[in-house]
């Protein structure tokens, strides 16, 4: 059976499952639309949360970044998993105890301010829309390759699919769909990893294979990879390339961004009790760890396979390149997507993939007759999806990976769109503009808002500011700088008041946005020397993806300073804060 037939069969079957679940569990009330009626089991909720969490950035893009950045990309692994520890310990149980549907609703009630609630809605929309852009990029990558259409067409197809099952089911449909999507994506991620680990190391466990011996050369796999890339003028895979400060701040930004993401927080309102919220976070971390411990092996093995497939043999061969007269077939298939490109600069019918900016390697390249690096484009986001093709795995495995990548992207997109929908319909319309709106009208407003968000996200997905994981990292930075501080202070600082929260959120969000817009070169610096040489101009070497931690610090400082300089919150609000943290009856036995 051909690859395209396998893809239609596997992807079609999974989509039929998702749409069937969405129809079977469609929401009939606002409670079911927003929080699935509050009756989801903690283990099931943990699995759904893991699928909600493991987006296109985790499934498709993270291993791609690890493949090309090596050591420096460990920040993504530590940040995106470490954040769940913060969420489980510092936020989830307290927010669940507070009992409100949405993050802006918590902000509005805790700080006794509708203005604070409005600013919270704005922060949520900015962070969530940025996050959805990354998912749409991932959807476009998967559909464009496996349906053999252009990237833009792939994004549009994904928009239509998300519209049907997210708008129909709300949180109730999304929760049970995400459980199915987790099963699909984790099988799709681990099966090819096992195959490739067996091929390269003889060990079926990728996590162990990563530290094992490369079968063909007899040296450690990572040593082999270091040798291959350094022989071609690249920095060693295992070497640190960026500054320690930037790696630390990127890890911190991703951690606190995780703990501040509205679409993850809202999942803890779908369980019956406060205890279940903490249990859900623990189960989610277990389910996430299965993929996240596999990702480093997938990234390293994908990079080694890529280098060996394009330019097999030793750099010092007499011919100076490979004994192959044609481009590998998998590259021709990916070229049609526009995400992979090359140019035969010296007309030898082969591809030379090397670092032509390395002054030390230039003399050797010139002696081989090489005229420059001929791989003009390798989008990081293709690595996981292309890896089984590069390794020559069976077509059914390649089709399974396609289904898994789509499951990851669509599950997170649905959760994000629900957070956006609830912010507009529940917090903005019902909470502020039309308090007496009927439940039916509120549901309709939520679905219309979700449809609008899909259109915006689709457009931005076609014109993304970076790889899926980069875009998602920006979203985490925005959540870290705007939402996380106000939630932390709302729970642990009874002196924090509404004015402090408002100015703090505005200061943190605007600082981070300005930095991102400036150094991403989207507007007024696009095409200038600063945009062309971005890392050299970063403030203290801090990348835009890492700046969310600085924005969070600005938010904390401004909010605390303003709160201390102005009147404290009302007495009942201060008691409310203490009640959130302290269990009922605490101190009764001692009289304290």
């Amino acid at each position: 059976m051909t690859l395209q037939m396998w893809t239609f069969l596997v992807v079609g079957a999974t989509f039929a499952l998702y749409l069937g679940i969405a129809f079977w569990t469609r929401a009939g009330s606002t409670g079911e639309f927003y929080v699935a009626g509050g009756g989801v089991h903690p283990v099931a909720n943990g699995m759904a949360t893991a699928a909600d969490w493991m987006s296109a950035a985790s499934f498709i893009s993270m291993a791609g970044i690890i493949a090309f950045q090596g050591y420096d990309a460990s920040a993504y692994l530590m940040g995106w998993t470490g954040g769940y520890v913060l969420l489980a310990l510092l936020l989830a149980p307290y927010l669940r105890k507070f009992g409100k549907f949405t993050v802006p609703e918590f902000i509005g009630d805790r700080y006794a301010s509708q203005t604070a609630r409005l600013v919270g809605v704005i922060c949520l929309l900015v962070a969530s829309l940025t996050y959805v852009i990354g998912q749409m990029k991932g959807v476009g990558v998967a559909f464009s390759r496996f349906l053999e259409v252009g990237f833009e067409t792939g994004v549009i197809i994904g928009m239509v699919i998300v519209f049907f099952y997210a708008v129909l089911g709300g949180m109730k449909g999304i929760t049970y769909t995400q459980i199915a999507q987790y099963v699909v994506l984790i099988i799709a991620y681990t099966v090819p990893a096992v195959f490739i680990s067996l091929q390269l190391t003889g060990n079926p466990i990728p996590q162990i294979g990563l530290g094992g011996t490369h079968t063909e050369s007899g040296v450690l796999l990572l040593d082999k990879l270091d040798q291959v890339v350094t022989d071609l003028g690249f920095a060693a895979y295992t070497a640190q390339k960026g500054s320690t400060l930037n790696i630390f701040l990127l890890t911190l930004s991703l951690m606190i961004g995780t703990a501040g993401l509205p679409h993850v927080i809202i999942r803890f309102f779908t369980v019956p009790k406060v205890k279940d919220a903490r249990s859900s976070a623990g189960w989610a971390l277990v389910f996430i760890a299965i993929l996240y411990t596999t990702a480093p092996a997938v990234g390293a093995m994908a990079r080694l396979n890529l280098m060996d497939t394009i330019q097999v043999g030793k750099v010092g061969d007499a011919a100076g390149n490979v004994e192959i007269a044609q481009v590998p077939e998998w590259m021709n298939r990916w070229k049609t997507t526009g995400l992979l490109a090359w140019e035969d600069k010296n007309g030898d019918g082969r591809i030379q993939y090397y670092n032509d900016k390395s002054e030390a390697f230039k003399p050797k390249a010139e002696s081989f007759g090489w005229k420059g690096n001929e791989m003009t484009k390798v989008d990081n986001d293709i690595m996981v999806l292309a890896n089984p093709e590069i390794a020559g795995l069976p077509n059914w495995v390649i089709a399974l990976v396609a289904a898994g990548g789509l499951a990851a992207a669509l599950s997170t997109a649905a959760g994000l769109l629900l957070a956006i929908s609830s912010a507009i319909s529940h917090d903005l319309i019902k909470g502020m503009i039309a308090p007496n709106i009927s439940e039916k009208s509120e549901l309709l407003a939520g679905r219309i808002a979700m449809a609008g968000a899909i259109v915006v996200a689709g457009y931005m997905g076609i014109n993304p500011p970076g790889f899926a994981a980069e875009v998602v990292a920006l979203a985490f930075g925005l959540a870290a700088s705007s939402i996380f501080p106000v939630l932390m202070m709302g729970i642990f600082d009874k002196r924090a008041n509404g004015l402090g929260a408002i100015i703090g959120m505005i200061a943190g969000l605007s600082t981070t946005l300005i930095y991102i817009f400036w150094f991403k070169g989207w507007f007024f610096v696009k095409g200038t020397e600063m945009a062309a040489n971005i890392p050299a101009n970063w403030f203290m070497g801090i990348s835009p993806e890492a700046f969310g931690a600085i924005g969070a610090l600005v938010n904390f400082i401004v909010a605390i300073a303003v709160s201390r300089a102005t009147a404290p919150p009302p007495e009942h609000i201060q008691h409310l804060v203490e009640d959130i943290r302290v269990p009922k009856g605490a101190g009764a036995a001692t009289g304290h």
Side-chain angles (χ1 to χ4, degrees), residues 30 38 59 71 95 102 326 393 416 418 443 460 463 493 533:
T30 53
F59 189 101
Y71 176 91
L95 292 173
T102 66
Q326 59 184 9
L393 297 186
L416 287 163
L418 185 69
L443 269 175
M460 292 301 294
N463 303 281
D493 182 11
N533 192 26

Side-chain angles (χ1 to χ4, degrees), residues 18 39 137 142 144 214 231 311 336 349 357 359 433 452 507 520 585:
Y18 306 152
K137 169 77 189 304
S144 63
H214 183 241
D231 279 352
Q311 196 155 261
T336 61
K357 295 181 176 60
E359 293 298 328
I433 298 173
K520 277 296 180 184

Side-chain angles (χ1 to χ4, degrees), residues 44 85 124 156 216 251 264 323 372 393 396 401 438 455 473 525 534 569:
V85 179
L124 183 151
I156 293 170
E216 186 178 331
T251 304
V264 174
E323 294 299 327
L393 297 186
W396 68 267
V401 173
S438 68
V455 173
V525 297
I534 292 171

Side-chain angles (χ1 to χ4, degrees), residues 145-354:
R145 164 63 190 91
F146 295 106
L147 296 182
E148 297 183 3
V149 296
F151 171 70
E152 294 81 3
T153 305
V155 173
I156 293 170
I157 294 171
M159 289 167 60
V160 173
I161 296 292
V162 170
F163 176 84
F164 273 105
Y165 85 80
V167 173
L168 178 67
M171 179 59 88
K172 185 178 180 183
I174 286 170
T175 295
Y176 292 102
T177 302
Q178 284 174 337
I179 293 171
Q181 286 169 329
Y182 175 79
V183 174
V184 171
L185 76 87
I186 205 66
I187 292 173
Y189 202 83
T190 54
V191 166
V194 168
F195 272 106
I196 293 170
S197 182
L198 273 170
Q199 277 186 353
L200 295 177
T201 69
N203 194 311
I205 304 174
Q207 293 89 334
I208 298 176
L210 178 64
T213 301
H214 183 241
T215 305
E216 186 178 331
S217 64
V219 301
L220 292 176
L221 179 78
L222 290 175
D223 287 344
K224 171 63 177 176
L225 181 52
D226 276 345
Q227 178 190 342
V228 168
V229 296
T230 54
D231 279 352
L232 292 168
F234 296 102
Y237 182 81
T238 57
Q240 180 178 330
K241 304 162 192 71
S243 71
T244 301
L245 175 63
N246 188 64
I247 293 174
F248 171 77
L249 289 177
L250 177 57
T251 304
L252 181 60
S253 180
L254 295 175
M255 285 180 67
I256 62 178
T258 298
L261 279 173
H263 80 289
V264 174
I265 291 171
I266 200 172
R267 292 227 59 93
F268 298 107
F269 294 95
T270 65
V271 293
K273 302 189 295 290
V274 175
K275 178 184 176 183
D276 295 335
R278 196 185 296 274
S279 177
S280 286
W283 278 109
L285 193 55
V286 170
F287 292 127
I288 289 168
I290 298 172
L291 186 144
Y292 270 60
T293 56
T294 308
V298 172
M301 293 173 186
R303 179 68 181 277
L304 183 59
N305 276 337
L306 176 71
M307 306 298 284
D308 279 348
T309 305
I310 294 176
Q311 196 155 261
V312 184
K314 298 177 182 178
V315 176
D317 284 353
N321 42 40
V322 298
E323 294 299 327
I324 185 169
Q326 59 184 9
V327 174
E329 184 56 33
W330 72 268
M331 292 183 64
N332 287 319
R333 291 193 292 261
W334 274 99
K335 189 177 183 180
T336 61
T337 68
L339 300 170
L340 183 71
W342 63 88
E343 177 188 356
D344 189 2
K345 296 179 180 178
N346 61 354
D348 65 353
R350 305 180 177 102
I351 298 175
Q352 282 83 48
Y353 179 34
Y354 70 102

Side-chain angles (χ1 to χ4, degrees), residues 52-55 57-58 76 79-81 83-84 126-128 130-132 135 249-264 292 412 416 468-485 509 512 516 544-549 551-552:
D52 201 351
W53 172 246
M54 290 190 294
S55 63
S58 293
Y76 289 89
W80 281 340
T81 50
Y84 256 93
V126 170
S128 297
T130 306
Y131 202 163
V132 175
Q135 307 319 303
L249 289 177
L250 177 57
T251 304
L252 181 60
S253 180
L254 295 175
M255 285 180 67
I256 62 178
T258 298
L261 279 173
H263 80 289
V264 174
Y292 270 60
T412 301
L416 287 163
E470 287 180 331
V471 179
V472 169
L474 295 176
F476 278 67
L478 294 170
S481 64
S482 60
I483 298 172
F484 176 77
L509 180 65
T512 306
I516 289 172
E545 291 82 7
F547 199 79

